[in-house]
Structures are given as structure tokens and as C-alpha cells.
Amino acid sequence: MTIDHKGGIVMDTNQKYLRLLSEKYPTLRSLTREIINLNAILNLPKGTEHFMSDIHGEYEAFCHILNNCSGVIREKTERIFRGRLSAEEQDEICTLIYYPKEKLSLLKKEKDVNREWYRATLELMLEIARDLSSKYTRSKVRKAMPPDYAYIIDELLHAQPDEDKNQVRYHNNILETVIRVDADDFVISLAQLIKRLAVDRLHIVGDIFDRGSSAEKILDLLMRHPCVDIEWGNHDILWMGAACGSQACIANVVRNCIKYRTMATLESGYGISLRKLTLNAQTLYPTLSPMEAALKAITVIQFKLEGQVILRNAEYNMNDRLILHTIDLEQGTFLSEGERYQLNDTLFPTLDPKAPYTLTDREQEIIDELTAAFQGSARLKEHVTFLYEHGGMVVRCNGNLLYHGCVPMTDDGGFATVYLFGEQLSGKAYFDAAEEIARHAFFGQSKNIKGLDFMWYLWCAELSPLCGRKIKTFERAFCDDKRAWHEEKNPYYKYYHEVFTCEKILREFGLDPDTSHIINGHTPVRTKEGELPIRAEGKLMVIDGGFCEKYHDTTGIAGYTLIYNSHGLRLKAHHPFRSVEEALRENHDIISDSEIVETAPHRVMVADTDDGEKIKENIESLQDLLYRYRSGEIRQKKI
């Protein structure tokens, strides 16, 4: 504290904070108890983190991997019950944990699910839960329990044999009562706890949307997850831009849904009708099927709207993507990057050669109606709000740097400079500014056309941190010559194989290059061709293993999960998932091949984590308060 010029006492900021802290810990006893508790937490093993990327609407496979915790539950089951349970019995207990409600219903039809079965099954599940809970405080485990059964589960997990076997009888009595009163609900609650304890934190490294059919169900699932963060992918930002009202983003979203036959996501999932688009398309292209006609109609609208964005924003340097004005319908050609190619279709009834990027009145009416539908969808708004609240362009967590796409670079390996809203930006500053603009596009009081345009830029620009390649949508849609399809990638994808580059990126984002890693998604790893997900001697990991079914032939697997627990980093490559029905009937699981990426030189404790640093800061403040209590500078309260 200090004395002011009138002789009065002025509290410093720290003392004000300590007085506020004393409201929470009003006595020496409450204070010392918290210091002891926090110090104990520092000496526990760190919780398990799972990293997944590029889910692309594959709900059933994603749901199963969440349920089996990327194979961790099976590993625990095999370790705990090796030599005690047969492989078939282990399979059944795992499936019951993954899908407790559905599996119970099926078992009751197939065999006698009686008191003895419940008793044996609950004992097995409790043993798994007890093993998983050993790395957490009792308080944290209690918070993870379903509230209705928290007290009962807590007692069962911590019952210890004693000389007179009172605890054993107590334990047995609880189980017998549970079985008699509501065994099914208790099994479901215990399965929920096991899955919660197996994964402490989930990281989604981008691209929840597009290609697969149920992105909205995945978001519903993630919204119920207790601890998740999301690093935005280019497909995510596209839907976010559509929800903000960017018409270029909306046209791209609709085109993707029609192209990948996922219209149900729009129509059933978000209540966005394509009826007006489809009816108009059938009058324009009567020889095509309704969906083919709708795809072509929205594609033309998309290219016109994208052209408008590019013409409004010269700083994007994307004039090479302006193609409509180069079309020669008489010759049936177009110009791409200085070379003329043959069109595979010359029917463009809404294209005005004198104003190729201007929508017809009917096209404008359609896109305006779609814009109102996107902005009026309550469920889409809820999901996009969740993406903003739990996500960002980049996340730093426990020595790992997570981002979806790339850190844009120049041909010589430097950070690329982007001119953005009057500023020259690169590296971390570019990421920070991009995130700020994206947030303002959704939460800002007034909608700025420049901000909406930038959402589209993030979706598809070569210098976008979420994309990093030159998208050739027009060429792929209207040209059969595959030479025109080549999509040039940003130099980042060449340089990220080098240790020097990865260390430079880690330093740029404030991480220790000697101990930290980059975790990347976006580009499918062609495992079947011998490509490896681990780059730059382990400094960088690409975890896009083709989760989407459409990529299985390309990658040869069905996705990766990176697991970071107290022992180190481990990568799991998943084989394709068949179906929930087969999982239930045959106890079929996703087969996962495990590879150790890095073993920690010593077991990683909470003290070594970001949370540990915060706890240490809290302990320091508490110890300061303790000193002031003992010195009498701050008085304890009488309770």
C-alpha cells in the first residue's frame, strides 16, 4: 500500500485483488485447505487430450469414435480383464459402454438379462471407471458423474474392504438396490462416466461441414461435450459466412450440398428450402434432372457472386479467378491462367456477355430468399454461435499449436504478407486480424460488406490460413481437360516438411520450438501411397486421414486420432466404420492401428500443463493472502 498526498492510505491493485480473494477464503483454515488441494492437483498426471480433424459430416463414424474414445476404452478393457474375460465378453462390455441404451434393448431380446447379469456387468463397469478415475481428483470425478447418481457412484468407486467387511456389505447393498429400482438407467449413467473420464479434452482441428450427410447432428453432439475446442476449417468458415449473410458463401454452401447429395442438412437440418431454386432451374435446363439443373443454376449464381467479390476487393489479387468474361460461346472455350480450354457445356441462358457478373432479376430473387432463410434458421444460428464461442483460427494448448490449414508463406519460405483493411499483415498478426474480422461479421451491430467478403476469402483463397490453395471450381465443373484442374498450393505445404520452418512457426506463435508441436488438418494423408502424417522429424503432424467416406479410397484409412496423455503422443489410424446396427448386433468396433509418435522423458503432470501454470499463479496469490492474514494486514472473518 502507499500514502497519498493528503496522508490517506491507497490500496495497490494486488491488495484490492487479495481483499476480493479473502471473500472466497475468509479464514486461515479455508485458505490453507485450498493451497493443499491445489498443490495436490499439480502432482496428478495430466488428463488425456484427443485431436480429430476433417470430420466432414460423417456422423455415425464420428459418434462411434467418440463413444469408443478412439479405442482407449477397448485398450483399458483388454488390459484390466486379460485372462479373466474372453474376447467375446470383452467385446460385449465395450459395446455396452459405447451404446448402453441400444445394447440393453437388444440384449433383452436375445437373452435373459437378469439380476445376476446386472450384478456382474455393473462390477465390470465399476472396475473400468475406477481405473480411469485414478488420475483425477475425487472432486473432478464427482463433477463428471451424472448428477442423479453422483453420490451412489462415488460411494461404489471408493468403497474399500475393511476388517469386518462392513464396506463390502455396504457396496453390495447399494448394488442390489440399484438393480431392483432402475438398473438400466444406472448402466447408462455409468457408461457416460466412463466415456467422460477416458477423454479429458477434445480438439476438433477443423472441417465439420460438407461432403457427409449429417454435420448438424455432429454439432448437436459436440454441444453436449463437456470440454471441446474447435479450430475453424475452411468448410466451417464457409457455413459461418453463410450464416453471417455473405451471398457468395451461401451459393457455395448450397452448391456443395447439391453436389454431395446432402440437401437434407439444409432442408431437414436447418429448414432452408431449395424449392424456388429447383423450380427455376428446371425451366432453364429442362433436359437435366431436377438436381442436375439446380446444381448448374446455383453454380452460375456462385461464379457471378464470386466475381462481384473479387471486383470489389482488388487487394485480394484474385483476378485470375474471373473467368465468366473470358467465355467464348461460339468457340465453346474459356480462358484459365493464360490458356484457352474447351468447355464441356455451352448452355448459359442467364449469362450476359456484356455484364457477365450481374445476376438476373430471378437469380437475385433466389439468392435473396436463400439469404433470408440462412439468417433466419434458429438451429444454424445456434450451431454457428457455438463455433464462435468454442472456436478460433488457432489454439495453443499444452505446448501444441493447432490450426486447420496453413501459415501462408512465400516462395522463399518467409511469411506471406497480406494487405488487409489498410494493414500489411503476416504470421500471427494475420491470424489475429482474420479472427477479429470473422467475429465482427457475425456479432457486429452493422453488417460490413467488406467483412462478409472476407469470410468468402477465408474459404477459398490461396493466401487464406484456412485454405492455402488456388481453387479451380469452374475448371472442374465445365472442363474435361484435367490439366486445367491443377490447384496450386501455397509454399507452406512444401516447407512444412522442414524442421527449421516448423520451429519458426512455433516461435511466431509464442511456443518453445524445442518442446512444442504443430497439429494440422486440411490435407488428406495418402497413407496407402506411403505418405506419413508425421512431418519435420515429429515437429508437425497432419491428422486428416480421410474421415469422410468419399476420401477412403484416396487415403486408404478412415481418419486419425492423435492422443496426448501423460505418457506422450500417440497416433491412431482408424479403419472404416460399418454401421451402428452392426456394432450392436455383432459387437463390431472400429479397428485402430496405434503408433507412438513421442514418449515423454518423464510422466507429464498437471504441473507441466497450461492449467498447471494457472494453478501455480493461484497458489502464489493464495500464499500472499496467507502471509497477510498471518501479519494482520488483512483480517480473517469470524465464521
Side-chain angles (χ1 to χ4, degrees):
M1 69 179 68
T2 57
I3 309 298
D4 68 11
H5 67 285
K6 294 181 180 179
I9 296 174
V10 179
M11 270 192 239
D12 58 34
T13 304
N14 186 50
Q15 191 175 26
K16 288 179 181 178
Y17 168 70
L18 291 176
R19 288 198 180 277
L20 287 172
L21 195 62
S22 71
E23 296 294 323
K24 187 174 182 182
Y25 305 104
T27 66
L28 269 172
R29 180 173 290 181
S30 64
L31 187 57
T32 53
R33 183 173 61 241
E34 183 63 9
I35 291 172
I36 293 167
N37 178 51
L38 292 179
N39 271 293
I41 290 172
L42 290 176
N43 291 286
L44 287 170
K46 77 173 286 295
T48 301
E49 299 172 68
H50 282 203
F51 305 78
M52 299 171 72
S53 173
D54 296 84
I55 300 156
H56 285 303
E58 296 290 347
Y59 172 74
E60 280 205 348
F62 177 70
C63 184
H64 187 82
I65 286 177
L66 277 194
N67 281 332
N68 80 355
C69 301
S70 303
V72 169
I73 289 174
R74 176 165 293 280
E75 290 174 352
K76 292 284 185 186
T77 302
E78 289 174 350
R79 180 178 61 78
I80 294 168
F81 301 119
R82 185 178 292 116
R84 292 165 53 194
L85 296 181
S86 67
E88 292 75 17
E89 289 170 328
Q90 291 179 26
D91 288 345
E92 184 165 287
I93 195 71
C94 285
T95 306
L96 182 65
I97 293 169
Y98 305 160
Y99 305 100
K101 186 176 179 181
E102 297 84 352
K103 187 63 177 177
L104 280 169
S105 177
L106 189 63
L107 286 171
K108 286 177 180 179
K109 295 174 184 177
E110 294 179 345
K111 66 182 184 181
D112 183 19
V113 177
N114 54 27
R115 187 183 64 79
E116 287 73 21
W117 181 89
Y118 278 115
R119 176 60 184 259
T121 300
L122 287 171
E123 290 283 12
L124 295 174
M125 293 177 73
L126 283 166
E127 200 167 344
I128 296 169
R130 200 172 289 120
D131 183 90
L132 287 165
S133 67
S134 63
K135 67 194 300 184
Y136 302 114
T137 64
R138 190 163 176 174
S139 171
K140 182 167 183 173
V141 174
R142 183 76 177 263
K143 289 174 184 175
M145 295 174 186
D148 291 342
Y149 292 109
Y151 173 76
I152 296 170
I153 295 174
D154 187 50
E155 290 294 313
L156 291 172
L157 288 182
H158 297 96
Q160 298 292 330
D162 62 333
E163 186 178 348
D164 298 323
K165 298 188 177 179
N166 291 322
Q167 285 283 319
V168 173
R169 283 193 290 271
Y170 178 55
H171 173 104
N172 291 338
N173 208 301
I174 291 175
L175 279 182
E176 290 297 332
T177 306
V178 163
I179 293 166
R180 187 173 66 252
V181 175
D182 197 351
D184 285 3
D185 197 35
F186 194 74
V187 168
I188 292 166
S189 297
L190 202 49
Q192 181 183 331
L193 174 64
I194 289 169
K195 288 181 280 193
R196 174 67 186 89
L197 295 175
V199 179
D200 190 46
R201 183 166 180 174
L202 177 65
H203 307 276
I204 304 297
V205 193
D207 278 359
I208 296 165
F209 285 99
D210 293 332
R211 296 195 174 93
S213 61
S214 301
E216 76 283 7
K217 293 180 183 178
I218 291 172
L219 278 158
D220 285 340
L221 199 60
L222 289 174
M223 287 178 71
R224 297 194 295 271
H225 198 281
C227 188
V228 62
D229 56 69
I230 298 162
E231 294 65 62
W232 301 332
N234 58 322
H235 286 270
D236 304 320
I237 209 75
L238 180 65
W239 280 78
M240 293 159 69
C244 292
S246 163
Q247 294 192 333
C249 289
I250 288 168
N252 272 276
V253 165
V254 173
R255 182 180 186 274
N256 285 344
C257 286
I258 297 172
K259 179 183 176 184
Y260 295 112
R261 297 292 190 265
T262 58
M263 289 84 74
T265 296
L266 276 180
E267 296 180 317
S268 301
Y270 294 119
I272 297 169
S273 173
L274 301 182
R275 185 171 182 273
K276 183 173 283 190
L277 169 69
T278 305
L279 290 175
N280 181 64
Q282 287 178 278
T283 64
L284 293 172
Y285 311 107
T287 61
L288 299 179
S289 70
M291 282 301 97
E292 288 174 329
L295 178 61
K296 186 171 182 184
I298 196 63
T299 299
V300 173
I301 291 172
Q302 172 189 320
F303 293 140
K304 288 183 177 183
L305 290 168
E306 290 180 339
Q308 292 174 22
V309 172
I310 294 168
L311 291 168
R312 274 196 299 267
N313 299 276
E315 65 273 21
Y316 289 178
N317 293 317
M318 292 179 69
N319 284 358
D320 60 338
R321 293 290 82 217
L322 294 172
I323 292 179
L324 294 183
H325 72 284
T326 74
I327 291 175
D328 184 335
L329 291 177
E330 289 185 5
Q331 297 296 320
T333 63
F334 70 96
L335 195 64
S336 176
E337 297 189 340
E339 187 172 345
R340 284 226 158 253
Y341 293 94
Q342 203 71 32
L343 288 163
N344 59 19
D345 184 351
T346 56
L347 182 61
F348 293 93
T350 66
L351 187 65
D352 181 355
K354 295 180 181 178
Y357 302 104
T358 301
L359 297 175
T360 66
D361 291 344
R362 187 63 170 158
E363 286 173 329
Q364 189 65 60
E365 184 182 327
I366 289 167
I367 197 66
D368 286 344
E369 184 178 278
L370 285 169
T371 303
F374 271 85
Q375 293 194 286
S377 171
R379 191 181 186 194
L380 180 59
K381 184 177 181 180
E382 182 183 34
H383 285 171
V384 169
T385 300
F386 173 77
L387 289 174
Y388 275 105
E389 290 177 347
H390 289 78
M393 295 285 293
V394 63
V395 166
R396 293 181 302 175
C397 184
N398 297 332
N400 292 311
L401 180 67
L402 287 61
Y403 53 81
H404 178 73
C406 66
V407 180
M409 306 188 87
T410 57
D411 287 334
D412 63 0
F415 294 135
T417 299
V418 177
Y419 187 75
L420 191 59
F421 288 70
E423 289 188 80
Q424 298 278 355
L425 299 168
S426 65
K428 182 179 182 297
Y430 178 27
F431 274 75
D432 291 343
E435 181 167 330
E436 183 180 348
I437 295 166
R439 291 188 181 281
H440 190 268
F442 187 70
F443 292 109
Q445 295 299 310
S446 58
K447 296 297 181 184
N448 184 312
I449 189 66
K450 286 283 190 178
L452 295 181
D453 287 351
F454 187 67
M455 297 296 280
W456 172 83
Y457 179 88
L458 286 173
W459 148 245
C460 64
E462 186 181 358
L463 288 180
S464 161
L466 305 182
C467 181
R469 74 176 190 273
K470 189 175 292 186
I471 302 291
K472 297 287 189 72
T473 308
F474 184 93
E475 291 87 340
R476 289 173 179 268
F478 294 116
C479 179
D480 294 332
D481 188 341
K482 292 187 178 181
R483 291 180 303 149
W485 294 12
H486 175 67
E487 297 181 338
E488 185 178 348
K489 292 182 180 179
N490 184 269
Y492 166 85
Y493 295 104
K494 175 180 72 175
Y495 285 109
Y496 75 168
H497 291 272
E498 299 178 359
V499 173
F500 173 80
T501 298
C502 293
E503 290 179 341
K504 180 170 70 172
I505 292 170
L506 289 165
R507 275 192 294 269
E508 173 72 8
F509 285 87
L511 290 171
D512 183 350
D514 293 329
T515 59
S516 302
H517 308 84
I518 297 169
I519 299 171
N520 213 167
H522 190 48
T523 52
V525 179
R526 299 173 186 270
T527 305
K528 72 175 187 179
E529 296 176 12
E531 192 174 14
L532 299 174
I534 302 168
R535 315 281 159 88
E537 298 178 14
K539 287 290 176 188
L540 182 145
M541 284 152 277
V542 181
I543 60 168
D544 178 3
F547 211 102
C548 176
E549 186 178 356
K550 294 176 174 64
Y551 279 147
H552 290 180
D553 289 341
T554 301
T555 62
I557 60 171
Y560 287 114
T561 301
L562 181 67
I563 299 172
Y564 179 30
N565 61 22
S566 60
H567 298 290
L569 289 160
R570 193 156 51 105
L571 198 63
K572 302 204 82 170
H574 306 300
H575 292 223
F577 181 60
R578 297 175 190 172
S579 70
V580 172
E581 183 180 354
E582 190 169 335
L584 290 168
R585 290 199 172 279
E586 300 180 20
N587 295 320
H588 172 74
D589 203 349
I590 289 181
I591 300 170
S592 303
D593 301 322
S594 184
E595 177 185 354
I596 295 173
V597 176
E598 182 178 286
T599 301
H602 58 81
R603 195 167 191 190
V604 184
M605 313 305 280
V606 172
D608 304 312
T609 67
D610 296 342
D611 285 343
E613 290 303 313
K614 294 174 186 174
I615 291 171
K616 290 173 190 174
E617 290 175 8
N618 289 341
I619 291 172
E620 192 173 326
S621 297
L622 292 170
Q623 287 176 329
D624 194 359
L625 179 59
L626 182 65
Y627 168 78
R628 299 196 188 210
Y629 273 166
R630 286 173 172 167
S631 67
E633 190 173 331
I634 297 177
R635 295 177 63 183
Q636 297 181 65
K637 287 186 173 57
K638 292 183 178 180
I639 303 299

